[in-house]
Amino acid sequence: MLELNEMQRDALGELFNLGVGRAANSLSLIVRDEVELTAPAVSLVAPEEVAETLLGSQLRELSMVSIDFTGPFVAQTILLFPERNALSIVSHMLDPSMSPEEMSEFEQEAMCEVGNIILNACISALADELQVEFEGGLPEHHFSNSNTLPLTGEDDDRMVLLLQIQLMMRQEQVEGHLLFLLSVSSIRILLEHVDRYLERMGMR
């Protein structure tokens, strides 16, 4: 099983933190309030371990946005929020006089916008610092739960690069997770680029 060494984990944390910072600035404009995103905690886990790693044994309804990226390697990126947290974010983006029922109608569109900002900001920062290029598809929104996360399939050699973040606005704290679903070969390519980045920075 592939594992991240300490330098690779720290480097990925720093690289994705650049993207998280960009995303926080963009989200602040959309919700018309200051948004803070914590530095992501990075880990590499098997797909079947994601639900337990994130959610324990508690079943939660989830709101998730996915975007597929291609470049030096292929990755399916997923932004994941517990459903109640997603509605909290959406409520800041829409007219506060809307009823909960009206807000739920706009949830998928609003979450696609949030996912597009956060996921593209992270991939963009990664591309800039690793000196590579990616092309992204359109964001897609899904509802799921911790037992039905769409992370496993016919290609069972994939692993998940997991980033855990917290989003804060108006003293509300919202827990979110970024998942980067990659094949083992794609992870090896990513780590080769990370090692080259560390060498350029004089850190190896």
Side-chain angles (χ1 to χ4, degrees), residues 16-17 20 37-41 79-81 118 122 163-168 174-178:
F16 283 118
N17 194 38
V20 164
L37 291 168
T38 60
L79 175 66
L80 186 67
F81 287 108
I118 294 178
C122 286
L163 283 64
Q164 295 173 264
I165 60 172
Q166 290 181 336
L167 183 153
M168 287 159 284
V174 176
E175 182 182 7
H177 311 280
L178 301 178

Side-chain angles (χ1 to χ4, degrees), residues 24-44:
N25 290 333
S26 298
L27 287 174
S28 295
L29 297 175
I30 291 177
V31 302
R32 300 178 295 280
D33 191 14
E34 184 178 358
V35 172
E36 295 182 10
L37 291 168
T38 60
V42 180
S43 57
L44 189 62

Side-chain angles (χ1 to χ4, degrees), residues 19-101:
V20 164
R22 296 176 188 177
N25 290 333
S26 298
L27 287 174
S28 295
L29 297 175
I30 291 177
V31 302
R32 300 178 295 280
D33 191 14
E34 184 178 358
V35 172
E36 295 182 10
L37 291 168
T38 60
V42 180
S43 57
L44 189 62
V45 299
E48 60 270 18
E49 297 172 353
V50 169
E52 182 179 354
T53 302
L54 294 184
L55 308 171
S57 60
Q58 183 179 4
L59 178 67
R60 296 189 193 176
E61 296 301 313
L62 304 170
S63 182
M64 53 192 291
V65 180
S66 64
I67 303 177
D68 293 339
F69 288 92
T70 58
F73 54 85
V74 176
Q76 180 186 15
T77 65
I78 299 172
L79 175 66
L80 186 67
F81 287 108
E83 170 70 1
R84 66 178 183 277
N85 288 353
L87 285 171
S88 177
I89 296 170
V90 171
S91 70
H92 288 274
M93 299 174 64
L94 302 176
D95 187 338
S97 64
M98 281 187 174
S99 68
E101 292 77 16

Side-chain angles (χ1 to χ4, degrees), residues 126-139:
L126 198 67
D128 290 347
E129 298 301 317
L130 298 185
Q131 300 178 358
V132 296
E133 293 184 2
F134 291 97
E135 291 187 8
L138 295 175

Side-chain angles (χ1 to χ4, degrees), residues 1-10 12 42-46 49 159-161 183-184 187-192 194-195 204:
M1 179 176 172
L2 280 175
E3 294 183 358
L4 302 175
N5 63 41
E6 186 175 352
M7 292 186 70
Q8 290 168 337
R9 181 179 289 105
D10 289 347
L12 285 167
V42 180
S43 57
L44 189 62
V45 299
E49 297 172 353
M159 297 192 69
V160 176
L161 189 65
S183 68
V184 169
I187 291 173
R188 287 199 174 103
I189 294 170
L190 167 61
L191 294 182
E192 286 173 5
V194 170
D195 288 341
R204 284 191 66 122

Side-chain angles (χ1 to χ4, degrees), residues 94-114:
L94 302 176
D95 187 338
S97 64
M98 281 187 174
S99 68
E101 292 77 16
E102 289 174 317
M103 285 187 182
S104 66
E105 292 180 13
F106 289 95
E107 179 182 356
Q108 294 196 46
E109 182 179 344
M111 288 306 299
C112 277
E113 186 170 3
V114 171

Side-chain angles (χ1 to χ4, degrees), residues 129-150:
E129 298 301 317
L130 298 185
Q131 300 178 358
V132 296
E133 293 184 2
F134 291 97
E135 291 187 8
L138 295 175
E140 296 182 5
H141 182 270
H142 313 272
F143 292 107
S144 184
N145 62 55
S146 57
N147 285 344
T148 59
L149 283 172

